[in-house]
Amino acid sequence: MLSAQERAQVAQVWDLIAGHEASFGAELLLRLFTVYPSTKVYFKHLGFCPDETQLLTHGRRMLEAVGVAVRHMDNLRAALSPLADLHAQVLRVDPSNFPLLTQCFQVVLASHLQGEFTVEMQAAWDKFLTGVSVVLTEKYR
Amino acid sequence: MALSAADKAAVRALWRKLGSNVGIYTTEALERTFVSFPATKTYFPHFDLSHGSAQVKAHGKKVADALTLAVAHLDDLPGALSALSDLHAHQLRVDPVNFKFLGHCLLVTLARHYPGDFGPAMHASLDKFLSHVSSALASSYR
């Protein structure tokens, strides 16, 4: 899956954003809901117009999960198994939505990392997030 | 999901800001597309696709000119892009899924260069605009 160099690039990007899980996660969700309003149906618990506190709380939770994935790139399936159960049995997010989140994530990274979000970094991160998405939707059937 | 007046105003404002640099960003977007989505390279077997390639830069300029044309005709994208749509449908035969990849990489490129101008609302407007461009380009396929 990910080559050694790609793993290094994923880890490098993570080092740059670690510590900002809440604010980046909140921005990620805000972009997702603004650009793809249909995704809001999966976040009814955040209310119709999630306020900043709710976005920050949920955003941090999501980014912390990404952090877990970064630390376990060698074994995403095991590390994300509880989350995969959650998505399959409870949340049931249609798999077509994951690329939308992946896209918004890259826009967040590009906007904050700018010159550091090189062509190669984007490709590595896209592969990584796609891998995470596959694991999270694997138990659906 | 037609482009609202606010979407059109946002896209026009951003394009004014990009000025004559649109080609630089479309070239970077092409480069990102080729690296993140390598299958797209199959449409360019005759190109040198290495970093800094003059051919990619020239192609970036073509894409830039087409998008600038689109921005100038936001009220009639299908009409303005009809010749390009014929070209993509009948000659180039690019699978329309690839338009999304280039669109996405252009969003990433613009976010990277204009972070202060690329909040969620602008992101949404530009994504909508690029979706409409893609639809217009794919309209001659069948």
Side-chain angles (χ1 to χ4, degrees):
Chain A
M1 259 274 312
L2 289 173
S3 70
Q5 187 180 24
E6 283 162 343
R7 284 175 207 208
Q9 283 164 335
V10 169
Q12 197 177 337
V13 168
W14 186 255
D15 282 341
L16 291 169
I17 68 176
H20 300 280
E21 285 86 345
S23 64
F24 279 38
E27 184 184 329
L28 171 62
L29 285 172
L30 188 58
R31 284 184 186 276
L32 185 67
F33 297 154
T34 309
V35 184
Y36 304 108
S38 59
T39 56
K40 285 202 281 190
V41 306
Y42 294 107
F43 296 87
K44 289 196 184 104
H45 57 292
L46 292 185
F48 190 71
C49 268
D51 65 34
E52 213 187 314
T53 315
Q54 291 170 306
L55 287 175
L56 284 165
T57 307
H58 202 82
R60 192 185 61 215
R61 197 179 304 162
M62 285 174 69
L63 275 252
E64 279 170 353
V66 173
V68 167
V70 171
R71 286 190 294 282
H72 295 90
M73 279 186 276
D74 290 336
N75 198 354
L76 283 180
R77 253 177 210 113
L80 298 178
S81 177
L83 261 183
D85 288 334
L86 183 71
H87 282 77
Q89 289 148 27
V90 180
L91 304 177
R92 297 196 195 133
V93 176
D94 190 292
S96 60
N97 292 288
F98 288 85
L100 306 181
L101 185 68
T102 298
Q103 192 237 71
C104 289
F105 206 128
Q106 288 172 40
V107 171
V108 171
L109 291 175
S111 123
H112 288 276
L113 302 181
Q114 289 151 65
E116 312 227 34
F117 198 58
T118 62
V119 173
E120 289 76 20
M121 293 284 203
Q122 179 189 342
W125 201 260
D126 187 78
K127 241 173 124 172
F128 166 66
L129 287 175
T130 302
V132 169
S133 305
V134 164
V135 167
L136 289 181
T137 53
E138 246 174 3
K139 299 188 186 182
Y140 280 41
R141 55 172 179 167
Chain B
M1 214 193 36
L3 289 175
S4 69
D7 290 325
K8 293 180 191 178
V11 171
R12 286 180 186 127
L14 182 69
W15 229 255
R16 267 196 302 275
K17 194 155 191 182
L18 301 184
S20 52
N21 290 333
V22 181
I24 295 175
Y25 306 129
T26 47
T27 299
E28 183 180 325
L30 279 170
E31 208 178 337
R32 286 181 183 274
T33 308
F34 294 143
V35 176
S36 276
F37 307 104
T40 55
K41 293 193 286 189
T42 52
Y43 294 106
F44 299 88
H46 49 303
F47 268 30
D48 158 26
L49 294 178
S50 58
H51 178 68
S53 149
Q55 286 174 307
V56 175
K57 200 168 157 188
H59 198 75
K61 173 92 180 43
K62 276 192 203 162
V63 173
D65 290 344
L67 287 174
T68 301
L69 176 75
V71 173
H73 293 89
L74 291 175
D75 294 322
D76 179 29
L77 283 177
L81 297 175
S82 123
L84 265 179
S85 178
D86 288 341
L87 180 73
H88 282 77
H90 305 134
Q91 284 186 40
L92 305 176
R93 298 201 196 128
V94 177
D95 187 326
V97 307
N98 296 288
F99 301 147
K100 264 198 319 238
F101 298 144
L102 181 60
H104 164 62
C105 289
L106 186 57
L107 291 176
V108 168
T109 303
L110 292 175
R112 174 231 184 279
H113 289 279
Y114 292 87
D117 295 289
F118 214 71
M122 174 61 85
H123 177 176
S125 294
L126 206 62
D127 187 68
K128 268 168 94 170
F129 162 65
L130 291 172
S131 297
H132 282 258
V133 169
S134 298
S135 298
L137 281 183
S139 63
S140 296
Y141 279 63
R142 56 170 179 171

